[in-house]
Amino acid sequence: MNRYHRFFRGLQVLLVGILFSSLLFIAPVHAVSSAAVSPETLNQLDTSLQQEIEKERQQATAEAESKLDREAIAAIEETKKAIAAIERGKTNEAIAALERATGKIDILVAQYPKLALIPVAAQVAIIDFAPQDFNLVERIRKQVKAVVIAEDFPAARELLNNLISEIRTAIVNLPLERYPDATKQAARLLNEGKIDEAKGVLQLALSTLVVTEQARPLPLIKAHTDLVTAVTLAQKDRDAAQRLLEDARAQLKLAQELGYARGDREYAAFDKAIKNLERQVKARENTAGAFAKLQEQFSSFFNRVSEVVKPDDSSNRAEARRRD
């Protein structure tokens, strides 16, 4: 069974056109040294971090659910009903289900002629396997390069799993270019009495759904939490604030080393800006203005880094609906 099909089969709650996201949570380990930060501050930091991660998870879930198309989901359901009817020997029921599926897809094609993919299911997971040790990260990176050169891609995939630290959104999409042909072909085969061939066409159509992904890097969320906490502590605990700013820089470096927009020039700009904040904290200067500017830039950077890995044309669909 195709991996996309397995993924899709795991997302079965489609009765109202929305699949509520599931959550795999592996608690992140914060790298701030307890020797330089009080237990109270560490507790505050951990609480803030968990709240920030949960907020991002909820936002990711809401965004994913808003993209799902009920008509496309209904077409998938009708296809599955057709397969079930074929297995029961109810050819007429199967043809009727395929006619309903084809009708829904034809409407979507007419409504969004330039749209290639329609989201039909989503899953959100928090995954944090990446080590905090930069030497270990570099060792894994070198191993990945070595096995890729050796064309041992299964080993590369296994190694790459150790470099994941993100809130991941996976969206299953119905391909509008291929799916309508499959339902029509299956209906024709059923009319010709070619039952097994029709069933095979439909099973293949369900197994070739396209998955797009979006990753919100956890190190960037941790860095932002460090910055916010450091600014609140700047006037009453300079040592703790500076330690948090150092860790924010470390988390930014970790995000870069894990490959999240690795070549982006803004990493260097953020490192310089945080160093400037460290200087201001040490000199007891007001950090509010510098932090406000940094936070605005950081938010824009985070959104850009967290863009969908494979474009699913959802923005085009949303724009088309606004025009309608």
Side-chain angles (χ1 to χ4, degrees):
M1 185 181 295
N2 184 284
R3 66 188 181 92
Y4 294 154
H5 193 199
R6 290 200 300 272
F7 180 90
F8 181 75
R9 288 293 296 274
L11 308 178
Q12 293 295 312
V13 188
L14 297 171
L15 296 178
V16 295
I18 292 289
L19 172 70
F20 291 101
S21 60
S22 65
L23 175 65
L24 166 63
F25 182 75
I26 301 170
V29 178
H30 214 281
V32 181
S33 170
S34 58
V37 181
S38 69
E40 293 79 11
T41 298
L42 283 174
N43 289 335
Q44 176 189 346
L45 185 64
D46 287 341
T47 299
S48 298
L49 177 57
Q50 298 298 336
Q51 290 174 345
E52 190 68 18
I53 290 174
E54 176 59 16
K55 183 185 78 172
E56 288 295 335
R57 186 194 69 81
Q58 291 179 3
Q59 183 174 334
T61 300
E63 289 179 2
E65 290 176 351
S66 70
K67 294 177 181 178
L68 303 187
D69 191 290
R70 297 192 178 194
E71 289 299 309
I73 292 170
I76 295 289
E77 286 298 296
E78 293 294 350
T79 304
K80 293 161 74 173
K81 288 179 182 178
I83 293 174
I86 291 172
E87 291 174 345
R88 297 196 310 271
K90 303 291 186 180
T91 302
N92 290 336
E93 287 185 18
I95 292 174
L98 289 176
E99 288 175 350
R100 292 192 296 270
T102 302
K104 293 179 182 300
I105 296 171
D106 285 344
I107 290 173
L108 288 171
V109 172
Q111 193 171 6
Y112 312 114
K114 296 182 180 180
L115 192 62
L117 303 173
I118 293 280
V120 294
Q123 185 180 47
V124 176
I126 298 176
I127 310 172
D128 194 9
F129 292 145
Q132 297 284 321
D133 187 327
F134 289 110
N135 291 329
L136 182 53
V137 170
E138 180 59 24
R139 191 185 315 161
I140 296 171
R141 284 165 51 87
K142 288 181 178 178
Q143 290 174 339
V144 170
K145 292 177 182 178
V147 295
V148 168
I149 291 173
E151 297 187 356
D152 187 352
F153 302 125
R157 285 191 289 270
E158 289 291 331
L159 287 167
L160 286 170
N161 286 337
N162 296 300
L163 298 178
I164 299 174
S165 182
E166 64 195 42
I167 300 173
R168 178 182 295 177
T169 302
I171 296 179
V172 180
N173 301 271
L174 183 150
L176 283 181
E177 290 184 2
R178 297 191 299 271
Y179 204 89
D181 293 337
T183 57
K184 292 173 184 176
Q185 181 185 4
R188 177 179 56 78
L189 290 169
L190 286 175
N191 281 318
E192 295 173 356
K194 299 177 181 179
I195 308 302
D196 290 339
E197 291 91 334
K199 180 180 175 181
V201 167
L202 294 177
Q203 288 176 329
L204 180 62
L206 287 178
S207 71
T208 53
L209 298 172
V210 178
V211 177
T212 57
E213 293 182 345
Q214 178 186 29
R216 287 170 161 83
L218 289 175
L220 295 185
I221 297 174
K222 294 176 185 179
H224 183 259
T225 304
D226 280 338
L227 290 172
V228 172
T229 307
V231 170
T232 63
L233 293 173
Q235 299 303 317
K236 59 182 180 181
D237 192 341
R238 286 186 299 161
D239 290 340
Q242 287 191 297
R243 172 62 69 179
L244 290 170
L245 290 172
E246 289 174 9
D247 188 63
R249 290 170 54 210
Q251 292 298 327
L252 282 167
K253 181 181 178 183
L254 179 61
Q256 191 173 26
E257 291 300 307
L258 293 177
Y260 297 108
R262 178 175 171 80
D264 199 297
R265 295 180 180 179
E266 284 208 58
Y267 278 114
F270 285 130
D271 187 75
K272 182 177 179 180
I274 295 173
K275 284 181 179 178
N276 185 52
L277 274 175
E278 291 180 27
R279 179 193 61 75
Q280 289 179 304
V281 169
K282 187 175 182 180
R284 297 183 182 275
E285 296 178 5
N286 190 320
T287 60
F291 175 70
K293 181 180 179 180
L294 177 60
Q295 188 170 31
E296 182 179 351
Q297 294 172 332
F298 192 93
S299 178
S300 176
F301 175 69
F302 181 80
N303 290 335
R304 179 158 49 80
V305 171
S306 302
E307 288 178 351
V308 175
V309 174
K310 297 178 181 178
D312 63 3
D313 291 328
S314 296
S315 59
N316 294 339
R317 179 162 59 97
E319 180 61 28
R321 282 180 171 168
R322 280 195 294 270
R323 288 198 300 268
D324 292 344

